[in-house]
Amino acid sequence: MILTEVGCGCGAVYRCAESETLEGEPGQLKCGNCGAIVVRWLTAHKRVYRCVIAPDRGYPVVVPPPSP
Ligand SMILES: [Zn+2]
């Protein structure tokens, strides 16, 4: 399994898990945020993409708990 990360121009980051053994199909990753084509691949390996950073959650606001 090969793990890589790829970022879209809009700030979203996707983690790719590519199998070296499972067969898949060439395809493309479309950004779920802005709809742009982030990655195209031609290898016939199984790939799974998962969004790890959405642009609106890239910098989470941490609210401190109220003091007692
Ligand atoms: Zn995008």
Side-chain angles (χ1 to χ4, degrees), residues 8 10 31 34:
C8 179
C10 70
C31 179
C34 69

Side-chain angles (χ1 to χ4, degrees), residues 11-45:
V13 176
Y14 295 87
R15 181 161 294 159
C16 170
E18 178 179 355
S19 171
E20 295 162 89
T21 52
L22 289 175
E23 282 192 21
E25 292 180 348
Q28 60 190 24
L29 168 68
K30 198 173 183 182
C31 179
N33 183 60
C34 69
I37 303 298
V38 184
V39 178
R40 282 195 181 94
W41 65 92
L42 296 172
T43 54
H45 289 159

